[in-house]
Amino acid sequence: MFTHEVRLSAHSRQALHVLVDEIDSAPPSEETLYASMPTLITRLPAELAEKIVAFRESRTHDALLVRGLPLGAMASMPTPPDAYTASRAAQGFSAVGIAVLGILGTPFAYRGQQNGRLVNNISPMSTTANMSDVGTGSHRPFDLHSEDAFMLNPPSFLQLSCVRNPLRVPTTISGLCSGDLDSETLGELRKPAYLVRTNPGQTGWDEKRLRPGPVVWGHHDRPLLRYNSARTEPTMPTAGAAAALDVLRKVLTRNAEDACLAPGDLLAINNYRLCHARRSFPARFNGSDRWLLRTVAYRDPYAIEDGAHYGGYPVLS
C-alpha cells in the first residue's frame, strides 16, 4: 500500500560495486563524504537516480525499498557493540546511502544523537537492551512514530540501510489514506495543541523548549503526520482530543505493513506521510546482530537553519 519496491538491473549493480569498492579502498571521514556528495550523486547509476527522483515527486507511494545494493567491506564488519564509539569512517555502502539521500534533500545530523554522527548506527547495545523506544534497544519494541516528531519541523525523509538482519526483524511502516479519518477527528488532530515529547534516546534535548503543534495537517486526501504513539499528548486534555488520538492509533495499527530489510537493502521513507516501528528481538551482542544505518534529510533546510551549525556538514543543536 505505501511501499514501492525496486530491484536494479545487473548493469546498475555492477556500477555500484565499482563505486563501493573504490570508496572502501580509502574510506573518507563523514566531513569529506559530505563535501564529495555532489560528485557521488553524479556517479550513481542513472537507473537508481531516476527511481529516487520519481519517489521524491511521487504522490502514490510514500516509501521506496531498493533491494540488493552491494555491501562491500561492510559485509564482513561485525555489528558495532557501541553505536556511539564505532568508527566514523564512511564505507562505500554508507556513502551510496548519503548520495541517495542527497537527491531527496539536505542530509543533517543532530548534536544530541550519537554524538553528532551524520550516519547513525541502529544496532543493539547491551546497556539499552531493555529500554523501549530507542534505536539501540532490542528486547522491547519501538512503537510507531514519525522520526523526531517532537520538533515542529521534523526531517522530510528518513533512510534506513541494512547491513545485516539475521532474524529478519521487520521495519513496520504506517500512515493515513484518504477517508481514514472523519471530519470531526481530523478537526481535533489539526489543532495546534499537541506536544510530542522526546524518546529516551533524545535525553539531551530540553523539553522545556518543546512547542505544541498539530498531529495531522495538509490536504484531507493526503494528510501529513507528526506523531509518536507513546509520547503524543494534548496540551489541554479533553474527551475530544483523547478520542481523536485513540482513533488515529487504531487506524495506524490497521494500516501497518512490514518491510523486511535484507543485507544491501535501502528503505527511504517520506517522514511527513509515514511513521515507523520495530518489534522486539533477542539480541546476542556478539557482532552478528541486526545493523541498520540511519540518516535523515530536509527537503527545505532553511526551515531549521536557525538551529543548525555547519562544521563539515549540517548539525542541528
Side-chain angles (χ1 to χ4, degrees):
M1 179 167 59
F2 297 113
T3 306
H4 179 54
E5 181 176 326
V6 299
R7 294 181 184 272
L8 300 178
S9 66
H11 178 76
S12 293
R13 293 197 304 272
Q14 179 56 35
L16 286 170
H17 273 287
V18 172
L19 178 58
V20 167
D21 289 345
E22 179 183 320
I23 296 169
D24 282 342
S25 67
S29 66
E30 290 189 321
E31 291 80 5
T32 301
L33 170 64
Y34 187 84
S36 65
M37 184 172 58
T39 302
L40 280 175
I41 290 173
T42 67
R43 295 194 59 189
L44 294 178
E47 179 189 14
L48 176 58
E50 289 170 4
K51 299 290 186 187
I52 299 303
V53 173
F55 164 66
R56 187 188 69 194
E57 303 302 319
S58 173
R59 296 185 65 82
T60 56
H61 293 98
D62 300 304
L64 177 69
L65 178 55
V66 183
R67 296 284 193 185
L69 302 179
L71 282 173
M74 296 198 80
S76 59
M77 292 181 176
T79 300
D82 188 321
Y84 294 80
T85 61
S87 171
R88 295 178 78 145
Q91 302 295 327
F93 179 58
S94 61
V96 168
I98 285 293
V100 166
L101 196 65
I103 297 175
L104 295 174
T106 300
F108 270 79
Y110 294 88
R111 186 181 66 185
Q113 294 181 12
Q114 297 197 14
N115 301 325
R117 287 174 180 268
L118 186 62
V119 181
N120 282 196
N121 294 297
I122 305 301
S123 54
M125 293 171 53
S126 58
T127 53
T128 56
N130 290 309
M131 293 178 65
S132 59
D133 301 327
V134 292
T136 56
S138 53
H139 298 164
R140 293 173 183 257
F142 200 148
D143 289 335
L144 282 170
H145 63 288
S146 309
E147 196 72 359
D148 303 320
F150 63 93
M151 301 171 64
L152 288 179
N153 290 297
S156 311
F157 294 99
L158 163 70
Q159 181 176 278
L160 299 171
S161 301
C162 179
V163 181
R164 68 176 49 89
N165 188 12
L167 299 179
R168 297 181 58 80
V169 180
T171 298
T172 301
I173 60 174
S174 188
L176 295 173
C177 302
S178 177
D180 274 343
L181 302 177
D182 60 48
S183 58
E184 183 179 354
T185 301
L186 272 173
E188 284 287 348
L189 296 175
R190 287 180 185 277
K191 294 177 180 177
Y194 296 87
L195 276 178
V196 183
R197 301 202 175 276
T198 57
N199 287 316
Q202 298 155 338
T203 52
W205 295 79
D206 181 6
E207 289 213 341
K208 294 178 182 177
R209 299 181 65 186
L210 297 181
R211 296 292 180 265
V215 173
V216 175
W217 77 100
H219 195 273
H220 64 274
D221 282 336
R222 191 171 164 78
L224 308 180
L225 272 173
R226 174 180 162 267
Y227 177 69
N228 183 312
S229 63
R231 289 172 169 79
T232 302
E233 58 188 48
T235 53
M236 295 291 291
T238 64
L245 285 174
D246 187 56
V247 169
L248 177 62
R249 178 185 59 79
K250 290 176 179 176
V251 167
L252 292 175
T253 300
R254 183 189 69 209
N255 288 352
E257 61 185 45
D258 286 342
C260 188
L261 303 187
D265 289 350
L266 180 152
L267 178 66
I269 297 172
N270 182 334
N271 192 50
Y272 286 168
R273 283 279 297 147
L274 300 181
C275 49
H276 60 285
R278 172 201 38 84
R279 298 188 184 98
S280 61
F281 65 98
R284 297 180 178 180
F285 312 111
N286 62 359
S288 68
D289 286 320
R290 177 180 184 263
W291 182 14
L292 307 183
L293 306 176
R294 173 257 197 193
T295 47
V296 293
Y298 280 90
R299 186 79 182 268
D300 177 12
Y302 298 106
I304 37 78
E305 189 177 43
D306 60 346
H309 71 273
Y310 293 78
Y313 52 83
V315 180
L316 270 174
S317 60

